[in-house]
Amino acid sequence: MIRKSIDRASMPDASRYVMSSGGTLVCISDVDAEDRYAHGPYSCLACGHMMVPALGRVRKHHFKHKADRPADCLHETYLHQLAKKVLFEAISDAMVAGHQFPLIRSRDIVCDHFAEPHGITCTNQQTPFPEDIASRFDRIGIEKGVNGYVADILLSSIATGETMLLEIAVTHHCDDAKIASGLAIVEIMIRTEDQIEQLKRGLDGTSGSVRYHNATPLSPIRQNCTAPCGASGLALLLFRNGKAWYSEVPLGADEDITSDPHLATYEVVDPKIGHGDRDWSTIKAYLGEFIIQQAYDSGQRVKSCILCQHNGGRANDNDVYCIAKERNMWMSSSATTCDAYFPPSTSDDARELLKL
């Protein structure tokens, strides 16, 4: 692998935030052109060198180093320090003001809508669950230690003894030893200043930029899904002309099935969560048993190439080879008008023919 070296000197010297003389963050958007050093002198979050506001008419307003940007002043360090301070201030302010600061996690949904009619319960869906960490914890610190590990931001509760480590990951992820410690860790991936701006509103664990380690599992919530359901079943269909066939249908779509005036009866079997990926041998077993029950047990009119003793085997997805006609026949409906149709005389013979 060829690794290209990064020319730090060629990178634009532009930062949205700096540190004020009082130790608070200052955003370039808050700088008044008439009194641009009101909160100065300003220093770089990464290297500590002096920064000056650039408020020209052409380029987007930003801070830059008063002298040349030092070679060891890395953008990754700037993002890491900025994210820590923004997140620390946002949570601290929420704690003091009694406001919520959400940590959004995905909570499993248990849907038993089809439990009674089909015997399946879906656990494939999730819903966002906002947990207020400003009320859950009452202490917060930057670069604080716990059990021999230092957290970028450490949250703790005097009442419960709980701790949570908030770790900022720009180029380096949380190390394995810290994860293996069993401490509850929220790892926040940061790549841009815009991502850091979003930290002011909370931590969205459903966005893909937040990872959990050793988090206490959330108990599932029981509710019926409101989104379109992915549960499906194999609908076995018998029409008045004797045609017997099958179709993959969403569970609960009975009205769509029964709306066909040509349908004599039907049955939905093998319910699954998601689209049922069934091979022909599985479909044949269900369809064959359905045909036998309808033809021999219920006395329904059934004419299917599957049940015919002239069935020479499946030729392709749609056809069966007919020994009597010596050619491929449309497997779903050819038998309904066939004068050579020859089914077994008993259900036992039919099961033997179909090897059920």
Side-chain angles (χ1 to χ4, degrees):
M1 179 184 293
I2 299 176
R3 298 185 180 274
K4 295 183 179 180
S5 60
I6 301 175
D7 183 4
R8 301 286 180 184
S10 65
M11 295 179 64
D13 186 12
S15 301
R16 189 180 299 179
Y17 285 90
V18 292
M19 188 69 73
S20 73
S21 58
T24 59
L25 289 173
V26 176
C27 181
I28 190 64
S29 62
D30 296 327
V31 176
D32 185 353
E34 301 298 324
D35 191 10
R36 61 183 64 193
Y37 292 101
H39 302 288
Y42 306 116
S43 58
C44 175
L45 289 165
C47 65
H49 284 67
M50 184 174 291
M51 303 287 283
V52 295
L55 306 176
R57 295 182 178 180
V58 179
R59 288 189 62 190
K60 186 176 181 179
H61 292 179
H62 61 279
F63 289 103
K64 64 179 182 179
H65 289 79
K66 184 175 182 179
D68 290 338
R69 181 177 184 173
D72 60 351
C73 182
L74 305 180
H75 186 62
E76 292 86 345
T77 305
Y78 164 75
L79 290 177
H80 190 270
Q81 294 297 325
L82 176 60
K84 280 196 300 185
K85 295 183 183 301
V86 166
L87 189 55
F88 174 81
E89 290 185 4
I91 299 176
S92 298
D93 291 346
M95 287 179 169
V96 172
H99 296 159
Q100 293 189 354
F101 190 87
L103 169 60
I104 301 175
R105 298 170 62 184
S106 292
R107 189 176 186 181
D108 291 337
I109 295 176
V110 176
C111 176
D112 57 4
H113 181 70
F114 293 114
E116 183 176 343
H118 297 288
I120 61 172
T121 299
C122 177
T123 56
N124 284 358
Q125 303 298 319
Q126 294 183 321
T127 185
F129 177 77
E131 178 185 10
D132 178 23
I133 59 176
S135 62
R136 177 180 171 184
F137 300 99
D138 49 34
R139 292 187 295 182
I140 183 172
I142 290 184
E143 300 293 341
K144 294 294 184 179
V146 57
N147 295 355
Y149 298 95
V150 178
D152 284 338
I153 296 176
L154 178 64
L155 298 172
S156 59
S157 169
I158 297 176
T160 65
E162 285 184 287
T163 61
M164 178 181 287
L165 288 68
L166 306 183
E167 301 290 340
I168 307 298
V170 180
T171 55
H172 298 91
H173 291 292
C174 189
D175 65 75
D176 294 339
K178 187 178 288 187
I179 295 173
S181 70
L183 294 167
I185 300 171
V186 179
E187 187 175 13
I188 305 126
M189 276 65 80
I190 294 296
R191 298 293 181 268
T192 66
E193 289 176 317
D194 288 337
Q195 287 180 306
I196 295 175
E197 288 292 323
Q198 296 172 11
L199 297 181
K200 297 177 180 179
R201 298 186 291 273
L203 297 172
D204 186 359
T206 65
S207 65
S209 61
V210 176
R211 297 196 300 181
Y212 302 95
H213 306 289
N214 311 315
T216 302
L218 294 173
S219 59
I221 181 173
R222 301 189 70 87
Q223 69 178 44
N224 289 340
C225 301
T226 56
C229 184
S232 66
L234 184 67
L236 308 174
L237 312 168
L238 178 62
F239 296 89
R240 299 186 190 283
N241 66 352
K243 171 185 174 181
W245 203 234
Y246 68 93
S247 178
E248 187 77 29
V249 297
L251 292 186
D254 296 59
E255 291 184 2
D256 295 337
I257 299 173
T258 57
S259 63
D260 188 338
H262 303 291
L263 186 70
T265 188
Y266 77 98
E267 182 181 352
V268 177
V269 298
D270 198 24
K272 295 179 180 295
I273 302 301
H275 188 75
D277 186 18
R278 302 174 182 85
D279 57 25
W280 171 245
S281 61
T282 301
I283 295 172
K284 180 184 175 182
Y286 280 112
L287 183 58
E289 188 61 37
F290 173 74
I291 288 173
I292 291 171
Q293 289 176 358
Q294 297 303 318
Y296 297 94
D297 300 337
S298 300
Q300 295 275 18
R301 180 173 184 263
V302 178
K303 296 189 71 174
S304 169
C305 287
I306 297 174
L307 194 59
C308 182
Q309 296 186 64
H310 295 145
N311 180 351
R314 191 183 188 208
N316 53 51
D317 288 347
N318 301 311
D319 300 328
V320 64
Y321 181 76
C322 178
I323 297 173
K325 303 286 185 180
E326 296 184 336
R327 58 185 173 87
N328 291 344
M329 304 296 292
W330 189 256
M331 187 166 32
S332 65
S333 58
S334 293
T336 59
T337 57
C338 181
D339 55 7
Y341 182 61
F342 181 38
S345 58
T346 68
S347 59
D348 289 339
D349 291 339
R351 288 189 174 88
E352 176 62 26
L353 174 68
L354 298 178
K355 303 299 183 184
L356 297 180

